[in-house]
Amino acid sequence: MDIVYIRELQVETVIGIYDWEREVRQTVSLDLEMGTDIRAAAATEDIDSTLNYKTVAKRLIAFIGQSEFLLVETMAEEIAQIVQEEFNVPWLRLRLSKPGAVRGARDVGVIIERGERG
């Protein structure tokens, strides 16, 4: 299995459990690794034969930007579901973080893996 990835995609959204967090937009950052097979695209140099990271990124930017979540855990699960269902990705690893959420830490968040690694 090959991996197509997106690193440090930053999107502003409403995220958090505190009242003040519900009133402001905060930046979340994600790293996404998606299992796929790139051989057909490599052989043909045809973008339609691969998992297009730009298309995935645009979809996630739109989704996250218009969504509101209390927990990063919920957001991570919904992102994973979109990627697997809409882009036919059998396996993914997602790191979703809230930079600056805890004093003294660069960021906090979750890392999830979903699906079967082929």
Side-chain angles (χ1 to χ4, degrees):
M1 177 176 293
D2 306 310
I3 294 175
V4 170
Y5 71 90
I6 300 169
R7 289 265 189 271
E8 295 184 24
L9 181 64
Q10 297 184 353
V11 186
E12 289 195 357
T13 190
V14 175
I15 180 81
I17 59 172
Y18 299 109
D19 290 341
W20 70 267
E21 290 181 300
R22 311 305 302 156
E23 298 173 8
V24 299
R25 296 180 72 75
Q26 298 180 73
T27 300
V28 295
S29 179
L30 65 91
D31 295 339
L32 179 61
E33 297 178 8
M34 300 167 285
T36 190
D37 185 339
I38 67 164
R39 289 177 289 193
T44 63
E45 294 209 56
D46 178 12
I47 190 68
D48 294 328
S49 297
T50 193
L51 177 58
N52 187 328
Y53 49 77
K54 183 175 182 177
T55 303
V56 174
K58 288 174 88 172
R59 172 67 172 104
L60 295 181
I61 290 167
F63 170 72
I64 295 166
Q66 68 187 9
S67 299
E68 295 185 11
F69 292 98
L70 296 173
L71 300 175
V72 292
E73 291 84 349
T74 308
M75 181 185 287
E77 286 293 343
E78 293 203 19
I79 290 169
Q81 185 174 5
I82 287 169
V83 172
Q84 288 192 294
E85 291 178 2
E86 294 183 19
F87 297 96
N88 196 30
V89 171
W91 172 87
L92 65 82
R93 178 187 316 221
L94 170 66
R95 177 183 175 275
L96 179 63
S97 63
K98 280 177 65 175
V102 172
R103 187 183 346 233
R106 180 187 313 167
D107 60 17
V108 297
V110 297
I111 299 172
I112 64 171
E113 285 189 38
R114 296 294 176 263
E116 296 296 320
R117 214 168 175 171

